[in-house]
């Protein structure tokens, strides 16, 4: 009788057009148990019931096969109508291709608890679910059967479009939680002899109040065995001794020394608050010690000393100290109003390399770096030089490497003097013992981002090569760069054995559609240290990726890639999202991050990512087109690229294409809206709408503009600062515009979005502004990140899929 009534109700509701009802087929429900282990309390009883259930649910949610409980195996199997005494678990996958709302009702179970995607949703027999497109797992734990009612799971949709499919499928499309929460390696630190590795892993466990858990391990690289582990008090600023016998680090406001041979820990110094940047100097330890600036608590105002005073930390003062680890005596090595930053040391010469940054706005980029050599014998200083572009320096036996932009030392690294270069395009230089400097990478197109020196003075470099991050070996004797085959698109972190002459490297990174892997490489052979795919994504379905380059009207090759939706069908018509930065950095091929292309593809979008003119890693001429352009080249590339993309990809509906970008990319989004109506909806995160305001107010506005607007100011280049500002062309914007901004953004102040919001509101143009409370330029908090992603995708679902339900659920006061 019950089955008949459900069928009748479903038919009636379907005909009414108001809702969708279904009794979920038991063949699509998995059951575990009954588990009859004797306990003094049932799952739902006792003061720790929620914690016990959550712990069990976390294990059951991830396990698709058997689970072993107190020595007995319990398999997942199709749900049965009845069960003997003991607790029960049920699991079903709900798949939806649009935002779906409805009520899940549990019948025939005692004290059920409903978990959605591993998190407790409701301790009741009913759950009102709001499901974004994707695959969702419902897990139910119960004390046992209700003997008076048959077991069933029922779905009641709010309308006839709220109709999920149910299955026992063991694979899922990637989710936001998976991308953010999964365990990854966050740091690697290889001992100089290559025998030991210090690595830190971090993940966000379920039900941990949005807090990460980090574990640092000391590993023997020969057998990958863990020698020692930190969790509650992770080592910070860790540094290996030159002989690889000891590890110095900061923990609990102490400098601690771990001796590897017997895993003993000694306290070398206490009361070490605000200590960082540990660095061994022979048998002793150099470190930086910061004194935070403390304002007068009675002060009602602040007089600025310089433009840098907008930085909250600028008045903090950091100096260099040397710790004698045997006696505990600490010797102060530097002093002064300017902070001293330790760059490197040369124990044979008894010297240190330091940098200082005096206030100086005379030349672009309106900052100055002093490179200073400190003699530790008498603490005398020799200034090596003052530079407008400078990244780092590294001692060698008879000279030093310097990394800086092409303009270093009056353009020593410039390929073509007719090109106004982009000084974010990192270059490598050599300074010999006599002070002569030569450019080493002038004809090397990848942008050099970091370097680690080997014992023979060769370098292992991390470079930006187009939209990839790769490792290269620089052979000093041959002045030659050679690529190290890392086997991934993006090497995000690496460490080398500095006491060896051949590269021994630990590194971690991702590819565009491959989660993080980490390897230990010796003699060119790799051994796996960590595989996030096996650990967290084994049951995850991802879409495919294809390269898509085109040649623009100037004859420049514009690099791009296309992410296809999961379960792609070339016979369908898809909406598309176009993403770019347009500033000086390429959009790299990371698997995840703040811009989760794989997630967008899982939500049913074709995603086109392109690298317009101005990006580093494609040569100096290409990156130089960023300077004094502010959209001139990049807007044309994005429009032309989108047109070429649509022509080539006929499965994309040209009427349903959205675009988005952040920071400079947010500027590009607003700027594009003044130039074209090719996009059906746009999103600008932390975008710049008024170049003069950003130049004068953003924390790094004047400095960044010293590179991006070199030699141009509001008083001498009105065309750039006014005519290139989207605000002054707001009347040309017709595309619906979503403006997202953290209201604690120091880089691009939130007013930049307010200017555009005010203009578009006054013009009665379609616009939305959403502020994220307490968030800076990057939305980093876990829940804030999810809310940010949801707002973005709901906006595009509204305009590109004609699906307003998600947006109206998030922001119900919005009128359509």
């Amino acid at each position: 009788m019950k089955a008949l009534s459900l069928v009748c109700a479903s038919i009636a509701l379907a005909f009414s057009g108001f809702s969708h009802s279904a009794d979920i087929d038991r063949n699509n429900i998995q059951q575990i148990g009954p588990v009859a282990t004797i306990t003094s309390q049932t799952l739902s009883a006792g003061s720790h019931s929620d914690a016990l259930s959550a712990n069990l649910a976390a294990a059951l949610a991830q396990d698709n096969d058997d689970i072993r409980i107190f020595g007995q195996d319990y398999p997942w199997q199709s749900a049965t109508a009845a069960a003997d005494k003991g607790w029960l678990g049920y699991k079903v996958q709900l798949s939806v291709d649009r935002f779906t709302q409805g009520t899940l009702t549990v019948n025939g179970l005692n004290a059920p608890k409903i978990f959605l995607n591993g998190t407790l949703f409701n301790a009741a027999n009913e759950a009102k679910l709001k499901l974004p497109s994707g695959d969702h797992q419902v897990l139910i734990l119960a004390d046992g059967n209700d003997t008076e009612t048959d077991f069933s799971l029922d779905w009641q949709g709010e309308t006839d479009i709220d109709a999920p499919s149910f299955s026992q499928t063991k694979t899922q499309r990637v989710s936001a939680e998976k991308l953010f929460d999964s365990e990854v390696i966050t740091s690697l630190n290889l001992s100089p002899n290559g025998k030991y590795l210090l690595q830190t892993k971090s993940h966000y466990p379920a039900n941990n109040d949005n807090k990460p858990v980090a574990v640092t391990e000391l590993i023997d690289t020969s057998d990958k065995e863990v020698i020692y582990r930190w969790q509650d008090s992770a080592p910070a600023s860790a540094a290996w001794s030159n002989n690889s016998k000891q590890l110095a680090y900061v923990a609990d406001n102490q400098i601690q020394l771990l001796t590897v041979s017997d895993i003993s820990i000694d306290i070398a110094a206490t009361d070490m608050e605000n200590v960082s940047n540990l660095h061994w100097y022979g048998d002793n330890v150099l470190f930086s010690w910061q004194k935070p600036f403390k304002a007068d608590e009675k002060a009602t105002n602040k007089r600025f000393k310089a433009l840098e005073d907008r930085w909250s930390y600028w008045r903090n003062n950091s100096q260099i100290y040397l710790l004698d680890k045997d006696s505990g005596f600490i010797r102060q090595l530097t002093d002064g109003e300017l902070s001293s930053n330790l760059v490197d040391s040369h124990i044979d010469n008894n010297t240190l390399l330091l940098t200082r940054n005096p206030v100086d706005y005379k030349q672009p980029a309106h900052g100055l770096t002093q490179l200073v050599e400190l003699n530790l014998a008498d603490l005398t200083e020799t200034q090596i030089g003052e530079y407008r572009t400078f990244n780092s320096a590294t001692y060698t036996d008879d000279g030093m490497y310097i990394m800086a932009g092409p303009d270093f030392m009056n353009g020593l690294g410039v390929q073509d003097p007719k090109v106004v270069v982009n000084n974010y395009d990192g270059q490598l230089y050599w300074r010999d013992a006599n002070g002569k400097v030569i450019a080493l990478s002038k004809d090397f197109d990848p942008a050099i981002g970091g370097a680690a020196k080997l014992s023979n003075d060769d370098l292992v470099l991390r470079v930006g090569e187009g939209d990839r991050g790769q490792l290269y070996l620089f052979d000093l004797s041959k002045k030659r760069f050679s690529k190290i085959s890392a086997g991934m698109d993006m090497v995000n972190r690496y460490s080398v054995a500095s006491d060896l002459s051949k590269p021994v490297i630990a590194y971690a990174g991702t590819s565009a559609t491959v989660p993080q892997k980490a390897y230990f490489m010796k003699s060119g052979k790799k051994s796996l240290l960590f595989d996030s795919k096996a650990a967290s994504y084994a049951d995850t379905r991802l879409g495919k990726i294809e390269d898509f380059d085109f040649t623009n009207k100037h004859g420049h090759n514009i690099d791009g890639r296309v992410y296809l939706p999961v379960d792609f069908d070339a016979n369908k018509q898809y909406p598309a999202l176009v993403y770019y930065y347009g500033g000086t950095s390429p959009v790299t091929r990371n698997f995840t991050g703040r811009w989760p292309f794989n997630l967008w593809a899982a939500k049913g979008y074709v995603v086109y990512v392109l690298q317009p003119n101005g990006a580093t890693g494609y040569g100096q001429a290409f990156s130089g087109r960023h300077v004094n352009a502010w959209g001139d080249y990049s807007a044309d590339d994005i429009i032309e690229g989108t047109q070429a993309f649509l022509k080539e990809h006929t499965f994309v509906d040209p009427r349903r294409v959205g675009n988005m970008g952040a920071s400079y990319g947010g500027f590009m989004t607003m700027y594009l809206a003044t130039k074209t109506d090719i996009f059906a909806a746009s999103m600008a995160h932390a975008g710049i709408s008024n170049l003069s305001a950003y130049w004068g107010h953003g924390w790094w506005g004047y400095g960044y503009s010293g590179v991006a607007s070199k030699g141009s100011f509001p008083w001498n280049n009105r065309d750039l600062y006014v005519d290139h500002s989207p605000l002054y062309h707001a009347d040309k914007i017709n595309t619906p515009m979503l403006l997202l901004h953290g209201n604690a953004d120091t880089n691009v102040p939130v007013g930049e979005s307010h200017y555009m919001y005010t203009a578009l509101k006054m013009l009665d143009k379609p616009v939305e502004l959403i502020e994220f409370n307490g968030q800076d330029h990057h939305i980093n908090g876990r829940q804030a990140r999810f809310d940010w992603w949801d707002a973005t995708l709901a906006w595009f679902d509204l305009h590109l899929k004609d699906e307003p339900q998600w947006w109206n659920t998030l922001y119900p006061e919005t009128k359509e």
Side-chain angles (χ1 to χ4, degrees):
M1 191 65 189
K2 176 185 172 186
L4 178 61
S5 64
L6 278 170
V7 171
C8 292
S10 298
I11 293 173
L13 289 167
F15 273 107
S16 72
F18 291 116
S19 63
H20 172 84
S21 178
D23 189 357
I24 302 172
D25 190 331
R26 283 182 183 163
N27 289 324
N28 293 325
I29 306 170
Q30 291 179 284
Q31 175 183 329
I32 199 166
V35 179
T37 303
I38 297 175
T39 62
S40 62
Q41 295 275 15
T42 62
L43 277 179
S44 64
S47 57
H48 302 296
S49 170
D50 285 349
L52 291 172
S53 298
N55 189 58
L56 178 59
L60 294 176
Q62 298 175 18
D63 201 316
N64 286 319
D65 298 313
D66 296 353
I67 187 168
R68 193 171 182 81
I69 301 174
F70 292 115
Q72 184 172 346
D73 291 328
Y74 292 89
W76 284 103
Q77 54 194 351
S78 294
T80 58
D84 297 328
K85 291 183 179 179
W87 65 262
L88 294 162
Y90 294 92
K91 187 160 59 174
V92 64
Q93 180 166 299
L94 285 72
S95 296
V96 294
D97 292 324
R98 60 176 299 145
F99 184 75
T100 299
Q101 305 175 79
T103 301
L104 183 75
T105 302
V106 180
N107 301 303
L109 296 180
N110 288 322
K113 289 187 177 181
I114 302 173
F115 293 79
L116 179 64
N117 299 324
T119 300
L120 180 63
F121 187 87
N122 203 8
N125 68 342
E126 187 176 277
K128 295 184 181 298
L129 302 178
K130 299 179 185 296
L131 305 173
S133 61
D135 298 324
H136 303 272
Q137 182 198 80
V138 171
L139 177 70
I140 300 162
L141 294 177
D143 290 343
N145 282 116
D146 177 355
T147 56
E148 297 181 0
T149 307
D150 289 342
F151 165 72
S152 67
L153 295 181
D154 299 335
W155 171 263
Q156 179 72 52
E158 284 200 3
T159 69
D160 58 351
I161 63 173
D162 296 306
S165 61
F166 306 95
S167 70
Q168 286 191 26
T169 304
K170 293 186 178 182
T171 63
Q172 301 85 33
R173 287 168 281 182
V174 74
S175 67
E177 291 79 8
K178 182 77 72 176
L179 291 172
F180 193 92
D181 294 348
S182 295
E183 186 173 60
V184 291
I185 288 179
T186 57
S187 71
L188 295 166
N189 193 340
L190 198 58
S191 64
N193 63 9
K195 293 182 179 180
Y196 307 106
L197 174 66
L198 190 72
Q199 72 172 22
T200 299
K201 295 178 183 178
S202 178
H203 73 286
Y204 283 80
N207 308 301
N208 199 45
D209 196 26
N210 289 333
K211 295 177 181 177
V213 170
V215 176
T216 302
E217 297 172 330
L218 180 60
I219 296 170
D220 186 324
T221 60
S222 64
D223 56 14
K224 311 301 185 296
E225 291 295 320
V226 175
I227 302 171
Y228 192 77
R229 181 179 286 112
W230 296 260
Q231 183 160 333
D232 295 330
S233 183
S237 297
W240 285 99
S241 61
N242 298 328
N243 60 14
S244 300
K245 292 182 178 180
Q246 286 190 302
L247 187 70
Y249 56 89
V250 179
D252 300 323
N253 286 335
Q254 300 171 334
I255 294 179
Q256 300 183 7
L257 303 175
L258 181 143
T259 301
V260 177
S261 60
D262 59 2
I263 311 299
S264 61
I265 296 177
D266 296 318
I267 308 302
T270 58
D271 297 325
M272 295 284 102
E273 189 174 3
N274 301 310
V275 161
S276 63
N277 195 24
L278 271 58
H279 180 101
W280 283 83
Y281 189 75
D283 292 332
N284 302 309
V285 180
L286 292 159
F287 61 90
S288 299
W289 204 345
Q290 184 183 87
K291 180 181 179 182
F293 173 76
K294 184 174 176 60
D296 184 351
E297 293 179 355
K298 298 180 181 179
T300 60
N301 57 74
K302 173 185 176 181
R303 179 196 174 206
F304 273 54
K305 293 182 178 180
L307 295 175
E308 290 86 346
D309 229 347
R310 67 185 73 182
W311 307 342
S312 60
Y313 52 80
W314 182 62
R315 295 195 189 189
N316 298 342
N317 188 276
S318 184
Q319 301 299 335
I320 311 301
Y321 295 77
L322 180 63
L323 166 67
D324 180 272
K325 70 180 182 68
D326 293 328
S327 67
F329 176 70
I330 296 174
R331 179 188 179 197
Q332 184 169 350
L333 304 180
T334 62
D335 193 21
E337 292 187 6
L338 293 178
S339 290
S340 296
N341 310 296
L342 178 62
V343 176
D344 201 3
S345 66
H346 197 310
I347 194 165
D348 293 340
N349 294 342
N350 205 21
T351 58
L352 305 182
L353 273 182
L354 314 173
T355 59
R356 298 192 180 104
N357 299 100
V359 173
D360 189 307
Y361 311 124
K362 295 186 181 70
Q363 298 292 331
H366 312 297
L368 195 66
T369 298
Q370 296 174 340
L371 183 62
V372 176
E373 188 169 64
L374 175 67
N375 189 312
L376 264 63
D378 54 12
L379 300 187
T380 57
E381 295 184 356
T382 302
Q383 183 168 289
I384 293 172
E386 292 185 321
Y387 311 112
R388 295 291 173 181
T389 173
F390 180 88
N391 298 331
S392 65
T394 302
Y395 272 127
T396 63
D397 288 339
D398 56 354
M400 68 178 70
Y401 290 107
I402 295 175
M403 284 180 286
D407 271 333
F408 182 69
M409 294 190 68
N410 300 313
L412 191 63
V414 174
Q415 288 177 339
D416 183 352
K418 292 180 291 200
V419 172
V420 180
V421 294
N422 180 341
N423 278 311
Y424 291 120
D425 202 334
Q427 303 292 315
L428 182 67
Y429 302 88
W430 167 261
R431 183 182 188 273
D432 67 20
N434 298 317
K436 181 182 177 181
V437 181
I438 61 172
L440 298 173
S441 62
K442 185 185 293 188
D443 298 318
F444 182 66
D445 283 345
I448 296 172
K453 186 172 66 69
L454 301 176
S455 64
N456 61 353
D457 289 341
D458 289 351
L459 292 178
V460 175
L461 301 167
R462 197 275 188 188
V463 307
E465 186 173 37
D467 60 357
R468 291 168 167 85
Q470 298 294 297
L471 296 178
Y472 272 77
L473 177 68
F474 177 73
D475 187 318
L476 179 61
S477 63
K478 298 177 181 178
K479 305 293 190 294
R480 185 176 66 190
F481 296 88
S482 56
K483 192 171 185 176
I484 297 171
S485 180
M488 56 183 61
D489 289 342
M490 294 297 303
V491 176
N492 298 118
R493 46 190 50 85
Y494 75 106
S495 181
V496 306
S498 58
D499 198 34
L500 304 177
S501 60
K502 298 295 183 181
V504 173
I505 313 169
Y507 63 94
T510 72
S511 293
T513 57
V514 180
Q516 190 193 61
K517 290 186 177 182
Y519 292 98
F520 176 70
M521 178 186 284
K522 185 176 183 180
S523 301
K525 296 181 180 180
K526 300 182 298 183
S527 58
L528 189 66
L529 292 170
F530 175 75
D531 184 357
S532 181
K533 182 176 182 178
S536 302
Y537 295 90
D539 301 323
T540 302
R541 299 196 316 280
L542 295 168
K544 295 181 179 179
I545 185 172
E546 299 175 349
D547 288 336
F548 178 72
D549 299 357
F550 77 97
T551 302
N552 72 7
K553 61 187 177 184
H554 302 291
H556 309 143
N557 182 73
I558 304 301
D559 190 6
R561 60 188 187 269
V562 176
Y563 296 77
L564 298 176
V566 179
D567 306 323
F568 171 72
D569 182 350
N571 295 313
K572 290 184 177 180
Q573 284 277 284
Y574 290 93
L577 298 175
V578 178
Y579 185 82
Y580 42 77
Y581 178 51
T584 192
S585 301
V587 181
T588 55
R589 298 171 72 96
N590 283 302
F591 174 73
T592 186
R594 293 181 300 115
W595 301 98
F597 309 123
N598 287 299
L599 179 64
W600 302 346
K603 299 290 187 181
Y605 290 97
V606 176
V607 183
Y608 173 40
V609 178
L610 74 160
Q611 318 294 343
N613 265 285
T616 59
Y618 296 94
Q620 291 185 20
F622 196 92
S623 66
R625 297 186 188 106
H626 174 70
V627 182
N628 277 314
W630 284 92
D632 279 342
Y633 289 97
S634 42
D636 289 345
D637 288 345
I638 293 166
I639 294 169
E640 193 177 347
T642 300
Q643 292 169 336
F645 159 73
L646 292 173
K647 183 178 180 180
E648 181 73 18
H649 300 85
T650 56
F651 48 78
V652 173
D653 185 343
R655 300 163 301 176
R656 297 190 291 150
V657 181
N659 66 317
M660 70 177 106
S663 195
Y664 195 102
F667 156 79
M668 282 305 312
T669 300
M670 290 186 268
Y671 186 79
L672 283 162
T674 72
K675 299 288 184 181
T676 182
D677 292 330
I678 194 173
F679 301 109
S682 301
M683 188 281 278
H685 171 75
I688 301 164
S689 64
N690 184 344
L691 301 188
S692 298
Y694 171 66
W695 168 81
H697 189 203
W699 271 24
W700 296 278
Y702 75 93
Y704 177 74
S705 298
V707 176
S709 314
K710 186 177 181 182
S712 295
F713 303 94
W715 54 86
N716 71 1
N717 195 340
R718 179 184 178 87
D719 174 70
L720 184 70
Y721 281 88
V722 175
D723 290 345
H724 282 66
S725 292
L727 176 65
Y728 293 93
H729 302 277
D731 58 323
K732 301 173 185 174
I733 295 177
N734 298 305
T735 307
M737 180 75 66
L738 173 62
L739 304 168
L740 300 179
H741 222 120
N743 63 13
D745 193 333
T746 54
N747 183 7
V748 179
V750 68
E752 292 296 321
S753 285
H754 279 266
Y755 298 147
M756 183 56 71
Y757 181 70
T758 300
L760 294 178
K761 274 294 186 183
M762 296 290 287
L763 291 163
D764 197 27
K765 300 294 181 75
V767 63
E768 294 281 354
L769 170 62
I770 299 173
E771 289 187 9
F772 285 81
N773 292 327
Q775 294 295 311
D776 204 330
H777 194 55
H778 297 164
I779 309 297
N780 286 330
R782 181 179 184 271
Q783 190 56 52
R785 176 75 62 84
F786 294 157
D787 293 343
W788 178 50
W789 286 348
D790 285 353
T792 300
L793 287 166
W795 172 258
F796 287 119
D797 279 5
L798 167 67
H799 290 283
L800 305 184
K801 295 183 178 180
D802 193 25
E803 297 175 4
Q805 290 81 7
W806 194 5
W807 178 265
N808 290 339
T809 298
L810 294 175
Y811 307 105
E813 47 289 303
T814 300
K815 294 181 181 179
E816 297 304 322

